Amino acid sequence: MHYKDRIFVLDLLTILHELTDEEHYMTQDEIVKELEDKYGYPSSPNRRRTVKRNIEKLISYGEYTGAYEIGYDINTRKMKNKETGATEEVEFYSNFNYLHDFTHEELYLIIDSLLFSRHIPGHQRKDLIRKLEKLTSDHFNSRQNHVYVSSQGELVNKSLFNNIKCLDQAISESKQVIFHYNDYVIDEKSQLQLQARLNSEGQVREYVINPYQMVATNGRYYVICNNDEFDDMSHYRIDRITAIEILDIDRKPIKEVEGYERGLDLSQHMAEHIYMFAGQSINVELSIKRNAFGEFIDWFGTSNLNITKQTEDEILVRVKVNDQAMRKWALQYALHAKVISPPEFVAKVKADIQQAMDNYE
């Protein structure tokens, strides 16, 4: 085979690999157009016949070697035999698609497993996801652009991935969504169930939000959004969402959300919201024992960190963090960290510790 013919066959295979899959196929005419528009092959009266001949070669080679598989439909049409003059039924191939090793559902399963891995660093997960995306066609959307990866865990709600799909579409199209938000309750059979929150009239409350980003952190998916009733930013656990729908209403621009006039700095936002609580962030100064400083970095990172003083045993740091998140973290690490300022926040932490002591009286 001449090298130009080999290049042509490889271009055909690339087109099928990139643009077709189990749900998307191409006709012979569409392949000819792609060759002309993207690969620069000149228009030719014989181009369609050349494509037909080389696709048949690709199909035969794939079936013979098992290196790949190209799907196709077999149709028949009646044609007159030029030698005998008789009308005969002739088979021909149409609707071609590359049958990738992984289905989209299988890739979603693998990618979501990566997102929730506790052992693979975030940048490596992203690199692996990009490689997995190349295993199928351009029609596949891993949702990576709308999911910020932190530490992960296990799943609960069976409708979680449908919720993610809807939110991903809403974020892409800049639309609002409406849903029910649930709490976990124990039913009469001592089974854990989701129960929708109610409004003041005892009816199921409907939440309307402006979604901006999804994040995977602490083993759960969250949506970063603005509740349409308020002006600040909120977080909702995606596994606690049910009855989600996309509204045909444009979402509020993020610059109209209080505190986000310059947009969303996702790294900073995640560093300030280590437990994904909503509300304002404050500047806190802490004294951290050196033997626990690594765990402090694990939670808060380095971009949001200002070391003010060091001693042989302790490190003094300033960090901007969500008020409620810091109170929870201060309780969790009370043996290794002490909040120094601001005074009003120190008073809150002391009250929390006293309440914890009272629970053991």
Side-chain angles (χ1 to χ4, degrees), residues 15-16 19-20 24-28 30-31 34 95-96:
I15 288 172
L16 291 171
L19 300 181
T20 69
H24 304 87
Y25 63 84
M26 294 182 74
T27 65
Q28 205 163 280
E30 288 171 337
I31 293 172
E34 184 70 10
N95 298 340
F96 307 97

Side-chain angles (χ1 to χ4, degrees), residues 17 86 230:
H17 186 279
F230 306 103

Side-chain angles (χ1 to χ4, degrees), residues 147-257:
V147 178
Y148 178 88
V149 183
S150 185
S151 57
Q152 286 73 36
E154 56 187 40
L155 311 179
V156 178
N157 191 352
K158 292 181 179 180
S159 63
L160 173 64
F161 292 118
N162 178 64
N163 294 344
I164 291 172
K165 181 179 179 181
C166 288
L167 286 166
D168 179 76
Q169 181 180 344
I171 293 170
S172 297
E173 298 176 359
S174 299
K175 297 295 184 181
Q176 290 185 338
V177 296
I178 186 171
F179 55 77
H180 299 162
Y181 198 60
N182 299 260
D183 294 309
Y184 286 107
V185 297
I186 305 296
D187 65 12
E188 297 176 351
K189 297 181 180 180
S190 298
Q191 298 294 316
L192 193 63
Q193 300 288 340
L194 284 173
Q195 185 178 84
R197 291 183 179 179
L198 307 179
N199 59 23
S200 58
E201 299 176 354
Q203 299 175 334
V204 174
R205 180 181 173 185
E206 292 187 325
Y207 289 73
V208 177
I209 66 164
N210 303 290
Y212 302 111
Q213 181 75 41
M214 288 182 286
V215 297
T217 183
N218 299 327
R220 302 295 180 195
Y221 273 122
Y222 294 81
V223 57
I224 300 175
C225 62
N226 162 252
N227 189 311
D228 208 43
E229 298 180 3
F230 306 103
D231 297 324
D232 57 357
M233 196 69 84
S234 299
H235 307 123
Y236 291 98
R237 282 259 300 267
I238 299 178
D239 62 308
R240 292 190 179 183
I241 290 174
T242 54
I244 189 170
E245 293 181 27
I246 300 174
L247 300 176
D248 191 22
I249 302 173
D250 292 341
R251 74 182 179 197
K252 180 189 300 182
I254 195 170
K255 294 181 180 180
E256 295 181 11
V257 179

